[in-house]
Amino acid sequence: AQSVTQLDSHVSVSEGTPVLLRCNYSSSYSPSLFWYVQHPNKGLQLLLKYTSAATLVKGINGFEAEFKKSETSFHLTKPSAHMSDAAEYFCVVSQRGYQKVTFGTGTKLQVIP
Amino acid sequence: DTAVSQTPKYLVTQMGNDKSIKCEQNLGHDTMYWYKQDSKKFLKIMFSYNNKELIINETVPNRFSPKSPDKAHLNLHINSLELGDSAVYFCASTPALGTNTGELFFGEGSRLTVL
């Protein structure tokens, strides 16, 4: 069984300040973990993924996430928010080699000028 | 050169009608999915096909019928549309079983509005 919890449904930051979007997961096996971004009226785009290699994963647009097995967390961070980062972010867990993919409920990131 | 393409992008229809949404992927992937995203942005898997074979069928009313004529296409037909069917429907694909990491490749979505 697997599940994913995004701890905040809405996060608001000022432009130029750090971003932290929190995600905790539960999995009976070694998981793959992903962050996707969805801009308004758009499809989902992969930001970054963890698939058992380095625990600190760098993605597009300056985002990164750290896989912490002891804390079952995969939080998404960015040092400095940009207006274009305003979007919905989804944390996702899956089992490698299988089709079962579980989405979190999403975190809406608002960036204030 | 769109990897996963869905048509139509927007669909407005009356209750009780029947409609279809088409999806095609040119990535050579074996597995395709339909997801429903409601007004609260929650994404719920509906169906998954692996090489034309249905492998995931979540609790979806049988008014929804997926069809996969080949592994590059997965269409969704909806009969007797209801107000609650209004949502954005996303098609996605992933590489073959045993090789994939779980990464999904999404289409742009099809926004269905039932009046």
Side-chain angles (χ1 to χ4, degrees):
Chain A
Q2 62 187 24
S3 66
V4 61
T5 302
Q6 291 185 242
L7 297 157
D8 306 293
S9 59
H10 188 268
V11 170
S12 185
V13 300
S14 297
E15 190 176 17
T17 65
V19 175
L20 170 63
L21 304 184
R22 298 182 295 164
C23 173
N24 285 102
Y25 71 92
S26 170
S27 178
S28 305
Y29 35 74
S30 297
S32 292
L33 291 156
F34 307 82
W35 277 98
Y36 288 84
V37 60
Q38 184 181 24
H39 288 95
N41 300 314
K42 295 288 186 184
L44 282 82
Q45 179 186 18
L46 181 70
L47 264 183
L48 49 80
K49 62 183 176 184
Y50 165 78
T51 57
S52 84
T55 56
L56 181 61
V57 181
K58 293 188 186 299
I60 60 172
N61 300 333
F63 284 94
E64 62 181 40
E66 186 171 7
F67 173 70
K68 292 187 176 180
K69 188 174 180 179
S70 60
E71 299 176 11
T72 60
S73 69
F74 190 59
H75 301 334
L76 182 69
T77 60
K78 183 173 180 177
S80 175
H82 191 272
M83 294 300 296
S84 61
D85 295 328
E88 192 87 22
Y89 291 79
F90 293 93
C91 183
V92 176
V93 63
S94 75
Q95 180 183 3
R96 283 191 294 283
Y98 293 88
Q99 284 88 4
K100 186 65 175 177
V101 177
T102 303
F103 278 78
T105 49
T107 298
K108 183 171 184 176
L109 176 64
Q110 180 184 20
V111 182
I112 302 166
Chain B
D1 191 20
T2 307
V4 182
S5 59
Q6 299 179 225
T7 52
K9 197 166 183 179
Y10 299 96
L11 189 53
V12 181
T13 189
Q14 300 287 331
M15 268 176 48
N17 285 350
D18 303 338
K19 290 293 177 187
S20 292
I21 307 171
K22 295 185 176 182
C23 179
E24 176 182 5
Q25 53 95 3
N26 62 6
L27 297 166
H29 290 167
D30 281 9
T31 307
M32 296 183 72
Y33 305 79
W34 278 110
Y35 280 85
K36 179 180 180 181
Q37 186 175 45
D38 63 22
S39 57
K40 294 184 178 179
K41 302 294 185 183
F42 183 65
L43 274 153
K44 181 178 178 180
I45 189 168
M46 300 174 70
F47 302 102
S48 175
Y49 270 73
N50 184 65
N51 207 4
K52 303 193 296 176
E53 182 182 343
L54 180 66
I55 53 170
I56 294 176
N57 183 352
E58 294 294 312
T59 309
V60 176
N62 56 16
R63 298 183 294 104
F64 290 78
S65 52
K67 283 190 172 51
S68 182
D70 55 62
K71 73 175 192 177
H73 295 84
L74 180 61
N75 303 323
L76 183 65
H77 188 75
I78 316 170
N79 289 328
S80 304
L81 279 156
E82 299 177 357
L83 293 176
D85 297 333
S86 295
V88 182
Y89 293 84
F90 285 100
C91 179
S93 70
T94 195
L97 261 182
T99 62
N100 79 75
T101 60
E103 178 182 350
L104 293 168
F105 295 76
F106 283 89
E108 291 268 300
S110 297
R111 181 177 294 275
L112 171 65
T113 303
V114 182
L115 303 174

